[in-house]
Amino acid sequence: QVQLVESGGGLVQPGGSLRLSCAASGSIFSMNFMGWYRQAPGKERELVTRITSGGNTYYVDSVKGRFTISRDNTKNTLDLQMNSLKPEDTAVYYCHANLRPTGSYYSDYWGQGTQVTVSS
C-alpha cells in the first residue's frame, strides 16, 4: 500500500519560514511528477508547485521567489521550503505524487494534509 506522509506544518508569523516534507512509502516502481497543493477555508484546492522526475519546476505566480520545491528521487521524498510567508499562504497543504506502484499503473496519490497558519 503506497502512502504519502507529510510533516512540517505549523504556526508562523508573517515574514517567517517553514519547511514541509513528504515521504512516499510502499512498493513503488517509478515516480513521475510530484507537487504541493493547498486549500484555504472556503476556497478550492489549488496547485502551488510541481516538480518532474527530471527536476523541472512550476510555481504559481503568488509564490514565485518565496517557495522552493525539491525532491530526492533515491528516497522518494519531496520538500517545500517556504520563505517570506504571508497571511494569504494560510491553508492546508497537500503532497501529491503521480507514481506507479509495483505491478500496477501510474495513479495519483495524496497525503493527509498539513496545516500552515501565517498569523501575528
Side-chain angles (χ1 to χ4, degrees), residues 11-38:
L11 172 65
V12 65
Q13 292 187 342
S17 297
L18 279 176
R19 188 175 185 87
L20 305 183
S21 296
C22 175
S25 63
S27 184
I28 298 170
F29 180 79
S30 179
M31 300 281 286
N32 197 358
F33 53 88
M34 303 180 75
W36 292 94
Y37 286 70
R38 66 186 179 188

Side-chain angles (χ1 to χ4, degrees), residues 28-95:
I28 298 170
F29 180 79
S30 179
M31 300 281 286
N32 197 358
F33 53 88
M34 303 180 75
W36 292 94
Y37 286 70
R38 66 186 179 188
Q39 187 167 19
K43 294 188 177 181
E44 292 190 355
R45 189 176 297 189
E46 67 166 348
L47 173 63
V48 177
T49 177
R50 175 181 288 173
I51 185 168
T52 68
S53 57
N56 293 317
T57 59
Y58 161 83
Y59 296 93
V60 68
D61 284 346
S62 60
V63 308
K64 284 181 180 177
R66 300 189 297 122
F67 290 12
T68 302
I69 190 171
S70 60
R71 65 188 284 176
D72 186 329
N73 292 330
T74 64
K75 299 179 180 178
N76 289 336
T77 58
L78 179 72
D79 291 319
L80 180 63
Q81 178 65 42
M82 304 185 293
N83 298 328
S84 302
L85 282 161
K86 304 175 180 180
E88 50 263 44
D89 295 317
T90 295
V92 177
Y93 283 70
Y94 296 90
C95 174

